[in-house]
Amino acid sequence: MRRVMIVLLAGILAAAMTGCSTANPSETGSSSSASSSEPAESPESSASVSSESSSSSSASSVTPILSLSEYPTVDGSTATLPLMAKVLSETTGTDASLAESYVSASKTAQSWLNLSDGNADLLLAYEAPESIKEQLQGGPELEVTAIGRDALVFIVNESNPVTSLTQDQIRDIYTGTIIDWSEVGGENIDIVPFQRDETSGSQTLFQKLLIGDRDLTLLDPPSELRPGMMGALVDGLAEYNNEKNAIGYSVYYYISEMYQKPGLKLIGVDGVQPGYDTIKDNEYPLCNEFYAAIRADEPEDSPARKLYNWICSDAGKDALTDAGYVPAK
């Protein structure tokens, strides 16, 4: 069986996996034009391991449907990285920790373009920004299935006494109408609102779920208040002057499962606290689905089509749930 080598240094691995995410995992490197790839943060092995290691105790008990050598190029959003690893592990029988080292993501906007351009074979991604949807209209037809549900959540310093905001209050904060926490039940200090860049999945949700068709102009924050990565936003909120005046947003799965940060808390929206059950039951008001997608002309016997069908099956739903995601209804 073809041997799979694990590189010794995380830096070398990151260079090898730059681009449109999970290039064929049996190869030690690939090239791509997508430079914003976000690798999964996982410990690296210090030795070469053959693909026979997939029979180890941490490998999936599900019957594999693909080999590593034929596994398609999978791309997606930062918050779907754990799902990418779970799917790879279960469908190839690869050791779970090894699967984590194989996956990376080009972020939401770029991943949709990669699929359309043929630089990725399958997506596990959040909704594309409107500007990207317009670009996709000129490309090949895509087959898209909602597989999970997540939510836009708001984060503040844990010492902030505010526990919930209405949607109108959030809009007023991000348009500059409300500028002091005392206006929404907090202390008499300025509000410092962090935003995401316009190509991020969380910014897409912010625009769709909170702004919509309203004729509103968002504040134009300085670059330090508009970080490119979700982790940078969370770090910025926690570190901003060590004060309780900052607010920012992310998706629930990322902040609850992937990048928890001491000193921060989630606040409710319209009196409903975000959580697995309130998102599952659609009680939390700012929920949205995320997707699996392939090009519609993928042959029935292609690895991408086989993987897509598996993800959309009960087995795929079980894998998604096991990884801590809320399944789509």
Side-chain angles (χ1 to χ4, degrees), residues 39-91:
E41 296 177 6
S42 59
E44 307 302 338
S45 170
S46 60
S48 299
V49 179
S50 71
S51 58
E52 281 84 1
S53 67
S54 63
S55 62
S56 69
S57 59
S58 58
S60 169
S61 60
V62 177
T63 302
I65 63 169
L66 295 169
S67 66
L68 284 174
S69 62
E70 65 180 344
Y71 198 80
T73 300
V74 179
D75 202 354
S77 305
T78 304
T80 61
L81 281 167
L83 181 58
M84 291 182 198
K86 181 72 171 177
V87 169
L88 188 151
S89 175
E90 297 217 354
T91 57

Side-chain angles (χ1 to χ4, degrees), residues 132-164:
I132 299 299
K133 290 180 181 179
E134 293 177 4
Q135 295 182 56
L136 295 177
Q137 291 178 0
E141 180 183 356
L142 303 181
E143 187 171 336
V144 182
T145 298
I147 58 171
R149 176 182 294 165
D150 206 340
L152 181 72
V153 296
F154 288 84
I155 315 155
V156 299
N157 191 285
E158 64 180 2
S159 62
N160 191 323
V162 174
T163 58
S164 184

